[in-house]
Amino acid sequence: MELGQAVVVDDLRGLALEDPGAAAAAVYDRPIGLRALHEDPESGEEHYLIRYPAGVKGRVHRHTAAHTIVVLEGKLDANGQVIGPGSYAHFPANVAMKHQSGGDEGCLFVIMFHGPFDVEILQ
């Protein structure tokens, strides 16, 4: 049996990151790093690698698509709960949320939107 194609990245920590653009940047008090990993044209699902610099603060916001975060390095504050490497957080669609750096260090994580990315700032 022939296997299908897979997207494989053997070292996410080594990928160069880019400026996320105005929509995503509006959520944070300073620039973050972002790298697109996967976009599905049929479902609109989007996966990104994101690095928060130490101390970055987020604003309360929501997305119309649910999304999942897996922390690779550092600490992430997910709705007031600080989680570290190997942790998982899932945010349902259309609910108020806040995620930001969870301490004095930066944070590297993969975020998977289960539909197209959009954002509405709530506070």
Side-chain angles (χ1 to χ4, degrees), residues 37-116:
L37 298 172
H38 171 73
E39 296 179 34
D40 184 329
E42 291 180 24
S43 69
E45 187 166 319
E46 301 178 24
H47 301 174
Y48 297 94
L49 178 67
I50 295 179
R51 182 175 299 278
Y52 286 166
V56 73
K57 299 296 182 202
R59 294 177 179 86
V60 177
H61 64 284
R62 70 175 159 213
H63 305 279
T64 57
H67 65 289
T68 302
I69 292 175
V70 177
V71 179
L72 303 172
E73 294 177 350
K75 295 191 189 243
L76 175 78
D77 177 333
N79 284 354
Q81 183 174 348
V82 177
I83 59 177
S87 297
Y88 165 97
H90 180 79
F91 298 88
N94 296 308
V95 299
M97 67 189 68
K98 183 178 181 180
H99 39 86
Q100 59 192 9
S101 175
D104 295 334
E105 58 188 307
C107 180
L108 182 70
F109 59 92
V110 172
I111 189 166
M112 295 162 278
F113 285 91
H114 307 292

